[in-house]
Every structure is written in structure tokens, then in C-alpha cells.
Amino acid sequence: MKAVRETLNRVSGEDLVLRLSAFVILIYGSQSEVLGALFIVLAGAGLIAPALLRRPLFWLVLLSASVIFHGMKWFEIDNHQFLLGYWMLTIALALHRPRPPRALAQGACLLIGACFACGVFWKLFGGQFIDGSFLHVSFLWNEKFLPFTHAFSGLTHDQVAHAKESVTLLQA
């Protein structure tokens, strides 16, 4: 543990952010097999040769690959894929600034603020919280809530399974 702490003390905050960003993209950046392999090669190269991580073109290449592959099925990908794309763009733009660490910090704050603002807007004006349908569906579909569903609703395992089957049939 001491060696890890000493290594982290030698790495600047900016380098740590860039390396962790490349690592997240490497591990969690894609829902496509082809893009996943491409990210393993590109982000892996950035982790092996950290000088690449300081080049805006590196992040723009990652972003372009993400946009091309995820753009073909944008309606199927998770929200975090969009956020990773915005983060790659933020990094590329921040590396063009005179003080990249400050630009990265500002970009991160804006991205987090925008996420929360969009979330609040969607919750307030989407209607699912007002009519309770969000909680109803969450308690039926989310495995983490099933103990609460059984404890407080009185529904049996069979009834929950039947409700899930009904919704799946309706979606089909």
C-alpha cells in the first residue's frame, strides 16, 4: 500500500485524470465488440505510452471512433456512453488550453452540473415521478428492490414474475 501511495504522489493530478479516463474507456467504453477491441488497442497504447494522453488528437481519435460506432445505434446505447463521449471532447478541448488542469476541472464541473440539471428537468417534466409510475416499474423490474417489493406490497414472487412477463409481452 505504501508503494501505491508513493507512486500516486509522483503522478500529477492531470496525469492521474488522463490515465484514469483512458482506463475507464478501456474497461467500460463500448457496447460494441469492434469498438471495444479498438478501444483496447488505443486506450491501451495511451496507458503504455502516457505521452499520447497529453495529445488532443489522441482523445479526438477515441471520440471519433466512439461517435462512428455508437452513432449507428445511438438509440440502444447506455447514457454513460454519451457521457464518456462528452468527457473525451472535454479532455481534447482542455489540452488545447494554456492551463489544462484548470480546464479539465471546469469541464468536469460543467459536465456534472449539466447531468444533474438534465436529470432534474427530466424528473420534473417527464411525469414518471408525479404519477408514481417510475417507482412502480422500479420496484417490479430492479432486482435490488425486490425485497422491498415483497415486504411492502404483499406481492408474491409468482405475481412479480407474471408482471414482468406481461410487460415483456407488451413490449414485444
Side-chain angles (χ1 to χ4, degrees):
M1 192 63 169
K2 185 178 179 182
V4 172
R5 217 174 305 135
E6 289 173 2
T7 303
L8 287 176
N9 286 337
R10 286 189 303 238
V11 177
S12 72
E14 179 184 358
D15 285 334
L16 188 59
V17 167
L18 296 175
R19 288 178 187 186
L20 287 174
S21 297
F23 184 71
V24 166
I25 291 167
L26 175 82
I27 299 297
Y28 204 55
S30 172
Q31 288 181 245
S32 159
E33 293 81 21
V34 175
L35 182 59
L38 189 59
F39 275 169
I40 287 172
V41 171
L42 293 174
L47 290 171
I48 292 170
L52 282 174
L53 299 176
R54 294 193 155 277
R55 299 176 189 251
L57 182 60
F58 173 79
W59 295 100
L60 290 174
V61 167
L62 285 173
L63 175 63
S64 299
S66 179
V67 167
I68 289 168
F69 283 93
H70 287 146
M72 290 187 283
K73 48 187 201 171
W74 64 272
F75 50 89
E76 295 177 6
I77 64 173
D78 296 332
N79 291 341
H80 67 272
Q81 301 301 336
F82 290 105
L83 296 175
L84 279 174
Y86 293 139
W87 182 239
M88 288 183 258
L89 178 62
T90 300
I91 292 173
L93 294 175
L95 292 174
H96 277 295
R97 306 286 298 173
R99 296 188 341 222
R102 180 180 164 98
L104 280 171
Q106 288 174 335
C109 288
L110 288 172
L111 184 59
I112 290 169
C115 287
F116 277 99
C118 289
V120 168
F121 176 81
W122 186 257
K123 299 306 181 213
L124 291 176
F125 298 105
Q128 293 89 355
F129 273 143
I130 294 171
D131 68 3
S133 61
F134 174 79
L135 291 175
H136 181 81
V137 171
S138 294
F139 276 97
L140 283 176
W141 282 93
N142 195 328
E143 298 292 325
K144 294 182 282 187
F145 294 132
L146 283 180
F148 297 106
T149 303
H150 297 304
F152 297 113
S153 71
L155 294 174
T156 66
H157 290 285
D158 292 336
Q159 289 170 323
V160 171
H162 179 65
K164 286 182 180 183
E165 290 173 13
S166 299
V167 171
T168 303
L169 183 61
L170 181 64
Q171 289 174 337

